[in-house]
Structure formats: structure tokens, C-alpha cells
Amino acid sequence: AIQPTKTGPYNWGPLDAAVNNARALGATEIMYTLGSTPQWAASDPNSKLGLYGPGSNSHPKYNSYYTDYLKALALRYGTAITSYQVWNEANLRDFYLGSTKQMAQLTKDAKKALRSVGSRAKLVAASTTVRSTGPVGKWGKAYGKAMKKKWKYVDVVSAHFYPPATSGPGTRVSYIKKMKNYYKKWGAKKKPLWDTEMNFGDRRPYMKTKRTYTGTQAAGFVARTYIDSMRYGVSRVFWYGWDIHVLGTDMVNPDSGAVVEGGKAFLEIQDWMVGAKWYGCRTKNRITTCTVKPPGGSKNYIRFTTKGSKKFKVPTASVLRELDGTSTSLSKGQKVRITTVPVMFD
């Protein structure tokens, strides 16, 4: 714990290391997620439901406990941490037992705390899961009502678009549409939407259904995550995570640390899309084509199917780029097979 007791001292070492490592590797967006209450600060310190121990899912006994900690974070890390999320998965009782009115007030207090110490970091609203639509719908409606006059204190709304373990990108797209509709109803339709945790599959021991994704399927799922986010208006995605190996899609080998297909796809899709102008997508004859234009270059075309495969006749001579970084020269009129794994023609 960073703040194991009310009077301190703070244990900054692990967080210092994480932030410094991220910055050394070139990270320009670092989000810190709050929402695991230390037992000493909990309004219900004996709650046994908290995923991180007794009281961890409790609302703070006093909001000042939370805001004092947030101010300490903002003063220590300055512009290194670019956003703070108010709470993690607040629609689930494993993470939060307080009321939506309490969460709304805490959201307002969090923004005021950041500004009181001169921080311009973005404030991200409490995240929700979407996999169980009952909890998110009921909780979100109440949170939206409680936030009616407080949305001005929030810079970004968020959700976790994990599909069930056996589902893929198509289910995630349906979740994005659902949450955009929810936030519109809840009064926050003009706020940017972030996906603050994302992965496919699951291998946690307590889950009834387990599934892992590897190889080209994992690569396709990772690439679709970022393509679909652009297509449907999700402006940030935080992959969870590169080296935790508890969900279903790995980015690196757990033994050697070598980048595997999912990670290669992440790096490749980054090369395709970062800094490029986005022209949107269209679907024709079961092939979806998304158009991007890199700085100083000509238009490139990302193509994939949502199911099965389809032959495609290349309209002009081009280079076919795949998610593992390989490329192949194509001549005009040559036929290639488009699958659910995105490829790019440039």
C-alpha cells in the first residue's frame, strides 16, 4: 500500500518505479486509477467483499481521506501522470459498496482537489464493466442522475469493454454502442469515451469459463480493438495488460518476455495508425475497408472481414502489410484472400 496508515509516511517506491519506467519507454499518457480504500480509511473497514481485502470496496469514511491522497499524488508526479480515474469498476460490489450519490460527490471533490494544487490532469469518471448489463444499466442510470449537475467536473467517461471469455471483437463493438447510448441517456453524451481496461479471454482460476487466444487470432483481436475504437468513437484504449498473464491474450511470452503475436500486432497497428488521418470505414461484399493517410503519404487501406474469408482483387499495384511486420508486393488485378485478421494495402 502507498499509504498504509493515516499519518504516513507514503511508500512511493513502487509507483515511482512504474512511472519512471513508463516515461523511459516513451509513454506520454499515464492514467492512475483510484478506488481501493485502505482499511484505516474505510467507512466499512470490516467489509469482507472487497477484492483487495477488508474495507477495500468501501467508500472512504471521509472524502478528505481520498482527496488528500489525490493531492499528494498530483504534487509528486506533476505532468507525468496525465489523468486520474475516480474509481475502478464502481458498478461491481467487489470494488464499490457506496451509493451513486456518494460517488458523484467524490467525483466533484476529486476535480476540485486536482485544481487546488494546480494540476491540469484530466479527471476520468468512475469506470464500469459492460459484460453484465444488469449491474451497469442500473448503477449507471443512478450515477447519471446523481451526476446531473456534476458532469462539468468530468473530462472523460469510461468503461471496460471486456467481452465474455468466448467472445471476440464483434461483442466488444456491441458494448461500445451500448455504452455510448447509455452515456447519452445519462447526460454525458458530449464527453470523450475511453476504454480503460481491455483484453480478450480469461484464465483466472475462479472463472467458470476459460479461454486463451494465441497466434494470428490473438493478433487479429488486438488489431480490431484499435481499429474498432477509431471507428466507433473510443478515443483511448488501455490494454490490460502486457505482462500480467491472467486474462486470455498475451502480448509477451510469460517465460522469456519475448513479444508474441498479440504484441507484434499492437506495435504494427500503432505504426499503421498513429499520426495518420482517419477517413472511416465502409463494408462492401463482406469486406470492411478503413482508410487512413499517414503524414506526407498517400491513402492506405486496412481490410478485414467480420466472419470467414473473401477473395479480393487488388485495384492497383500495392504492398500488402501484415500484423507480424511482413510485407508482400502485389500487382494490379492480383487476387488475395481477406480474413478476420486485418491487413493493410499501401
Side-chain angles (χ1 to χ4, degrees):
I2 293 176
Q3 189 181 2
T5 65
K6 179 180 177 180
T7 56
Y10 293 108
N11 177 25
W12 295 118
L15 185 57
D16 282 351
V19 170
N20 291 337
N21 182 60
R23 297 191 75 188
L25 293 172
T28 57
E29 293 277 346
I30 299 177
M31 185 185 73
Y32 184 95
T33 299
L34 297 113
S36 181
T37 308
Q39 192 173 22
W40 65 263
S43 57
D44 183 5
N46 298 315
S47 168
K48 299 297 193 296
L49 295 173
L51 190 64
Y52 300 112
S56 63
N57 58 343
S58 172
H59 192 87
K61 186 174 182 179
Y62 303 106
N63 281 7
S64 60
Y65 289 163
Y66 176 104
T67 55
D68 286 348
Y69 175 64
L70 178 56
K71 286 188 282 188
L73 282 167
L75 287 170
R76 184 170 185 85
Y77 296 104
T79 58
I81 293 180
T82 52
S83 59
Y84 292 91
Q85 185 162 262
V86 176
W87 207 275
N88 178 64
E89 297 184 352
N91 64 311
L92 300 182
R93 291 174 64 82
D94 286 351
F95 293 105
Y96 188 62
L97 289 176
S99 71
T100 51
K101 288 184 179 180
Q102 287 177 303
M103 183 57 67
Q105 185 60 47
L106 191 67
T107 301
K108 177 181 177 179
D109 291 350
K111 186 60 171 284
K112 287 189 171 184
L114 288 173
R115 297 302 179 255
S116 73
V117 294
S119 172
R120 306 308 299 175
K122 288 182 171 63
L123 186 71
V124 184
S127 66
T128 63
T129 56
V130 192
R131 194 180 305 182
S132 298
T133 56
V136 69
K138 182 178 179 180
W139 188 90
K141 183 178 180 180
Y143 183 49
K145 183 179 180 180
M147 287 289 293
K148 186 175 181 180
K149 295 182 179 181
K150 296 183 176 71
W151 283 118
K152 63 183 179 181
Y153 297 102
V154 169
D155 298 298
V156 179
V157 294
S158 69
H160 295 170
F161 293 118
Y162 297 116
T166 57
S167 298
T171 300
R172 179 176 181 268
V173 167
S174 72
Y175 287 175
I176 293 171
K177 293 178 179 179
K178 185 187 298 291
M179 285 307 300
K180 292 190 79 173
N181 185 52
Y182 279 171
Y183 276 119
K184 181 179 179 180
K185 290 180 179 178
W186 299 340
K189 64 179 179 180
K190 294 183 179 180
K191 300 293 181 180
L193 174 61
W194 289 5
D195 184 351
T196 53
E197 278 189 31
M198 181 56 213
N199 203 302
F200 292 97
D202 209 320
R203 68 186 102 170
R204 290 173 291 180
Y206 53 83
M207 296 296 290
K208 292 181 180 179
T209 303
K210 300 180 181 63
R211 178 66 65 86
T212 57
Y213 296 100
T214 59
T216 56
Q217 187 176 36
F221 280 12
V222 171
R224 278 286 306 275
T225 296
Y226 294 92
I227 295 167
D228 292 338
S229 294
M230 286 293 296
R231 187 178 185 186
Y232 295 105
V234 178
S235 52
R236 294 283 189 280
V237 180
F238 294 80
W239 190 266
Y240 187 81
W242 269 74
D243 58 359
I244 59 171
H245 311 297
V246 297
L247 297 175
T249 306
D250 283 340
M251 296 296 206
V252 296
N253 183 290
D255 298 318
S256 67
V259 179
V260 295
E261 287 84 350
K264 291 177 182 178
F266 175 90
L267 297 172
E268 186 68 17
I269 202 74
Q270 177 178 248
D271 190 44
W272 296 0
M273 297 175 69
V274 171
K277 185 175 180 180
W278 177 260
Y279 288 87
C281 306
R282 62 180 178 85
T283 301
K284 184 178 180 180
N285 296 327
R286 294 199 298 112
I287 296 175
T288 296
T289 300
C290 302
T291 305
V292 296
K293 184 179 180 181
S298 56
K299 290 181 179 178
N300 297 331
Y301 304 94
I302 301 170
R303 293 188 169 98
F304 60 93
T305 66
T306 55
K307 184 179 180 181
S309 63
K310 180 79 174 177
K311 285 186 178 180
F312 175 75
K313 183 184 288 188
V314 180
T316 59
S318 56
V319 175
L320 177 71
R321 294 177 60 180
E322 300 187 60
L323 292 171
D324 63 359
T326 60
S327 59
T328 306
S329 296
L330 302 173
S331 56
K332 180 180 179 179
Q334 186 173 344
K335 290 184 177 180
V336 297
R337 187 169 293 278
I338 305 298
T339 72
T340 57
V341 180
V343 293
M344 187 170 77
F345 295 78
D346 67 7

